[in-house]
Amino acid sequence: MSAASNLLKHHLQQRQIQGATHIALRPGTLAKVQGLSRKPATREPEPLKPIAVESAPAARRILDNPPPETKKAGLLEVAGDTIEEKLAALRAMAEAWEPARALESLRETMVFAVGDSHASLMFIGEAPGAEEEKLREPFVGPAGQKLTGIIKAMGLDRLQVYISNICKFRPAMENQGSGNRKPTAEEMRACLPFVLTEIDLIKPQVIVALGATAAEGLGIPGSVGGLRGRFHSTSGISTMVTYHPSYILREEKINGGMDAKRAVWEDMLKVMEKLGMPVSDKQRGFFKTK
Ligand code: URA
C-alpha cells in the first residue's frame, strides 16, 4: 500500500470516527479506497502458549481461574460495533483489570496503545516507562523516538501503524525514580489477554516484537540474536522479532550502534517486503557495508 493510500485510508477512518457517514469521492478514488479494505482474516487463533508463572498467590488464583470474559482462546469479549468501539471498551477494561492489579507489582497508571486501529503493521514492546506513564502513550520517551525514526525510515508515520505493549502498566521498583525494569513473566501473563485481543481486532498483516521480552510474552522464547531475521507466528500472524530500540540506544553509547541498527533495518526491510511495500534503492542501501 502506498504512503498516499495509507494517508487517504487514515483520513477516512478519522472522518468516520468524527461521525461522518458519507464522503463524496472523485471517480477513481472509490476504486482505490475499495482496494484498501483488507480481506477478512480466515486465521484461527492458536491456543495460548503458557508462560512460566512465578509466586504471588492472590494473582495466581485469578490467573488460574480467569474471569469468564477471558475464557475464549485467551481473548476478551468486548462490546461494540466497530473496531474503534471495541478497542475503547478494551481500554476501559484494562483500566480496572483485576489480575494485573492483584499482583501489586505494577504501577497504577494504565498505558494502552496508539495508532491506526486498521493498521497492517503492529509493533509490540514490553512495558511503558516513565515518559510513557506521564503521557499515557507507548513509546514516547527516548526509545520511542528511536522507534519513530525507524517507522519514518520505512516511509510510514506513527499514525499509520499500531503500537502497543505486552504489559500495560509500568513495572514497579523500589526507589523507582526514572528507572525501569522488564515485566516478569507473571506480569506479562496478567496483561496478555489485552494484546491478544488487540491483535484479534486489528488483524495486522505483520507484527514486530521489539526485544526478547515482548517475544517471550507472545510465546516466542529465545534471544533476539537467535530469533531475528525470519518470521515466526503469533495467532497465525507473521511476526518478526528484532532488537528493542533501547538496545540500539545502549549500543550507540558503547560502539556507535552500527551493528544493531543494521540488524534492525535488515529486519524492517523483510517486514516491508512481507507487507508489499515499495523499497527504494536508498532504503535498501541504509547501513549496507561496502
Ligand atoms: N519500552 C517499551 O517496551 N515500551 C514502551 O512503551 C516504552 C519503552
Side-chain angles (χ1 to χ4, degrees):
M1 194 184 300
S2 72
S5 303
N6 260 323
L7 283 173
L8 173 62
K9 180 182 154 204
H10 185 70
H11 170 73
L12 293 176
Q13 283 161 1
Q14 292 304 312
R15 293 290 309 275
Q16 193 180 26
I17 292 166
Q18 287 157 8
T21 53
H22 294 83
I23 293 171
L25 294 174
R26 278 198 294 273
T29 308
L30 180 62
K32 264 194 214 156
V33 176
Q34 283 166 339
L36 294 177
S37 50
R38 287 187 275 115
K39 282 189 229 112
T42 50
R43 304 176 281 261
E44 278 297 311
E46 281 175 3
L48 242 184
K49 296 204 179 80
I51 298 171
V53 172
E54 305 141 8
S55 64
R60 187 62 263 196
R61 267 196 306 281
I62 295 171
L63 294 174
D64 284 344
N65 299 289
E69 64 269 35
T70 64
K71 286 198 170 146
K72 200 183 99 199
L75 301 180
L76 295 161
E77 296 279 357
V78 277
D81 293 331
T82 63
I83 296 178
E84 286 75 16
E85 285 171 8
K86 287 182 182 179
L87 285 172
L90 193 62
R91 181 187 289 256
M93 212 183 264
E95 286 286 356
W97 189 238
E98 201 44 43
R101 302 273 180 210
L103 292 172
E104 295 181 0
S105 60
L106 294 167
R107 285 165 62 93
E108 182 67 21
T109 307
M110 195 280 298
V111 180
F112 196 66
V114 66
D116 182 352
S117 35
H118 298 264
S120 309
L121 177 57
M122 181 165 177
F123 289 90
I124 301 179
E126 51 189 50
E131 299 293 321
E132 288 75 22
E133 197 179 43
K134 240 183 267 161
L135 297 177
R136 302 202 66 170
E137 181 174 325
F139 283 100
V140 288
Q145 282 159 30
K146 190 53 80 184
L147 176 62
T148 303
I150 294 167
I151 293 167
K152 278 200 182 133
M154 296 170 83
L156 299 169
D157 74 37
R158 274 173 76 92
L159 293 178
Q160 292 174 294
V161 301
Y162 187 87
I163 305 174
S164 193
N165 279 310
I166 285 281
C167 184
K168 303 295 186 201
F169 303 82
R170 185 177 170 207
M173 291 162 71
E174 262 180 56
N175 308 318
Q176 185 115 30
S178 59
N180 294 312
R181 67 165 171 85
K182 287 174 193 273
T184 64
E186 187 174 41
E187 289 163 347
M188 289 195 282
R189 189 169 130 105
C191 292
L192 192 60
F194 289 95
V195 87
L196 292 180
T197 308
E198 288 172 278
I199 293 169
D200 185 64
L201 291 173
I202 291 160
K203 296 186 177 24
Q205 272 173 259
V206 176
I207 293 170
V208 175
L210 296 165
T213 307
E216 180 200 332
L218 293 174
I220 310 169
S223 66
V224 176
L227 295 170
R228 61 162 291 271
R230 64 187 196 279
F231 286 98
H232 304 265
S233 170
T234 307
S235 306
I237 296 173
S238 298
T239 302
M240 177 64 78
V241 178
T242 197
Y243 291 109
H244 192 285
S246 304
Y247 175 76
I248 300 181
L249 292 174
R250 280 196 302 276
E251 289 288 293
E252 276 178 342
K253 282 195 192 131
I254 300 167
N255 56 27
M258 279 310 279
D259 288 348
K261 285 191 254 195
R262 185 177 298 116
V264 169
W265 187 242
E266 280 168 5
D267 294 340
M268 294 309 102
L269 287 176
K270 288 188 178 147
V271 166
M272 289 169 74
E273 278 162 9
K274 178 70 93 182
L275 289 169
M277 288 172 66
V279 179
S280 68
D281 289 346
K282 189 174 164 197
Q283 284 171 317
R284 211 170 280 289
F286 289 162
F287 307 112
K288 231 187 190 152
T289 41
K290 286 182 203 137

